[in-house]
């Protein structure tokens, strides 16, 4: 059985764990190695038994712990070719542990199957992941400016979805960010708003997802309550009531969240 637990989520750092009890896979390592180690121990996992790290893209909030993690533990790193190149520029000897792939390819780590798909984001070659075992699937899609057919296909059949709900569009527009930054976030290679995240969540739930974790919330332009309300209202309108038909949670910003059975 697969379990998923977010270790941190938001613009100050992202990392989550998917495990079947034997194979332990991190998606992103955007918090310090020390925090990752502490979080794993808290989950009863020996950090030395980490099987692999999958990287979505090279932005600091997804890789800041990777230098120390690969130096201390030689853990295998999986990344798209474009992301891998960027990681090698930044991290010495990363090529020794790097397993590059082309988004769209699938592979297995231990007994967990991994599907990969391209995501539209202002990075070299950003990637979404779906991890599955025994017919149960978890999909992780954050840091995307809009939902593409590849993203829709990538999350199809997911029982659990970790989806971006980055900002409230009106709060962002009227907020203090400089114009270029607002433009970047709102652009089609930026981040998903609560409303766009809600549409993605609704299509996943219509296709059978029963657990949804909202992630990568902006600290300045969103709140957990706001994200939950917008997505919850959309789900309720389509007849899937949170708490009754679907489990809807928001990933905590700076500490591990709940452990979900996939
Ligand atoms: Zn990013
Ligand atoms: Zn990010």
């Amino acid at each position: 059985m697969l379990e998923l637990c977010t270790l941190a989520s938001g613009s100050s750092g992202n990392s989550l764990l998917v495990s079947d009890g034997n194979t332990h896979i991190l998606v992103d390592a955007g918090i310090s190695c020390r925090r990752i180690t502490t979080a794993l121990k808290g989950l009863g996992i020996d950090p030395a038994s980490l099987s692999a790290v999958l990287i979505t893209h090279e932005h600091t909030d997804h890789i800041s712990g990777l230098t120390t993690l690969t130096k201390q533990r030689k853990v295998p790193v999986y990344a798209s070719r474009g992301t891998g190149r960027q990681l090698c520029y930044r991290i010495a000897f990363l090529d020794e542990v790097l397993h590059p792939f082309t988004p769209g390819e699938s592979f297995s780590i231990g007994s967990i199957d991994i599907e990969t798909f391209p995501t539209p984001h202002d990075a070299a070659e950003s990637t979404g992941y779906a991890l599955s075992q025994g017919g149960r699937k978890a999909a992780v899609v954050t840091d995307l400016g809009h939902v593409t057919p590849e993203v829709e296909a990538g999350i199809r059949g997911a029982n659990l979805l970790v989806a971006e709900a980055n900002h409230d569009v009106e709060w962002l527009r009227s907020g203090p960010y400089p114009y270029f930054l607002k433009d970047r976030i709102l652009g089609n290679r930026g981040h998903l708003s609560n409303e766009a995240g809600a549409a993605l969540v609704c299509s996943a739930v219509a296709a059978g997802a029963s657990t949804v974790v909202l992630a990568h919330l902006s600290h300045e332009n969103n709140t957990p309550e706001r994200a939950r309300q917008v997505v919850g209202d959309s789900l309720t309108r389509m007849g899937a009531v949170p708490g009754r038909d679907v489990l809807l949670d928001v990933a905590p910003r700076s500490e591990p969240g709940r452990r979900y059975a996939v």
Side-chain angles (χ1 to χ4, degrees):
M1 187 190 76
L2 284 184
E3 271 195 341
L4 181 146
C5 182
T6 60
L7 308 187
S9 180
S11 42
S12 51
N14 297 276
S15 186
L16 65 81
L17 176 81
V18 175
S19 170
D20 67 355
N22 295 308
T23 302
H24 312 296
I25 299 174
L26 285 182
V27 178
D28 288 331
I31 52 175
S32 71
C33 185
R34 181 189 302 254
R35 282 179 64 196
I36 290 172
T37 301
T38 304
L40 291 177
K41 285 181 181 162
L43 293 166
I45 293 170
D46 176 3
S49 68
L50 199 56
S51 311
V53 186
L54 313 178
I55 299 294
T56 60
H57 64 297
E58 72 276 16
H59 289 162
T60 309
D61 56 318
H62 298 261
I63 65 161
S64 62
L66 195 60
T67 303
T68 310
L69 194 66
T70 50
K71 203 155 75 181
Q72 282 184 358
R73 308 210 180 278
K74 293 276 172 214
V75 53
V77 174
Y78 290 74
S80 69
R81 284 172 213 291
T83 301
R85 256 193 304 279
Q86 294 296 323
L87 296 179
C88 288
Y89 293 147
R90 291 166 169 78
I91 302 173
F93 305 112
L94 191 94
D95 53 320
E96 292 176 7
V97 293
L98 181 65
H99 298 252
F101 60 82
T102 301
E105 287 178 3
S106 302
F107 49 89
S108 297
I109 299 171
S111 51
I112 299 178
D113 298 321
I114 321 282
E115 294 167 280
T116 70
F117 48 92
T119 52
H121 189 51
D122 52 0
E125 193 177 22
S126 60
T127 306
Y129 292 99
L131 300 93
S132 63
Q133 186 184 68
R136 305 289 296 177
K137 184 192 276 199
V140 180
V141 274
T142 65
D143 299 74
L144 65 166
H146 66 290
V147 175
T148 59
E150 288 91 344
V151 170
E152 286 278 5
I155 67 162
R156 198 166 292 146
N159 304 94
L160 184 155
L161 177 68
V162 177
E164 174 162 51
N166 180 257
H167 56 271
D168 181 281
V169 173
E170 282 316 308
W171 293 7
L172 175 65
R173 283 220 172 96
S174 59
Y177 278 10
Y179 181 76
F180 77 91
L181 191 53
K182 291 182 183 181
D183 234 26
R184 200 211 120 205
I185 295 169
L186 290 167
N188 70 356
R189 287 165 60 82
H191 291 278
L192 282 192
S193 67
N194 290 336
E195 290 76 9
L200 179 66
V201 165
C202 283
S203 83
V205 169
S210 57
T211 304
V212 172
V213 183
L214 303 178
H216 212 298
L217 273 66
S218 165
H219 194 39
E220 288 75 21
N221 301 306
N222 209 355
T223 61
E225 295 72 27
R226 180 70 184 154
R228 184 194 294 273
Q229 185 200 337
V230 170
V231 176
D233 286 353
S234 292
L235 283 168
T236 302
R237 275 197 297 275
M238 70 165 231
V241 179
R244 187 190 76 186
D245 307 310
V246 59
L247 174 58
L248 175 64
D249 267 350
V250 177
R253 170 172 303 281
S254 48
E255 72 258 336
R258 284 169 58 176
R259 300 172 80 148
Y260 301 98
V262 175

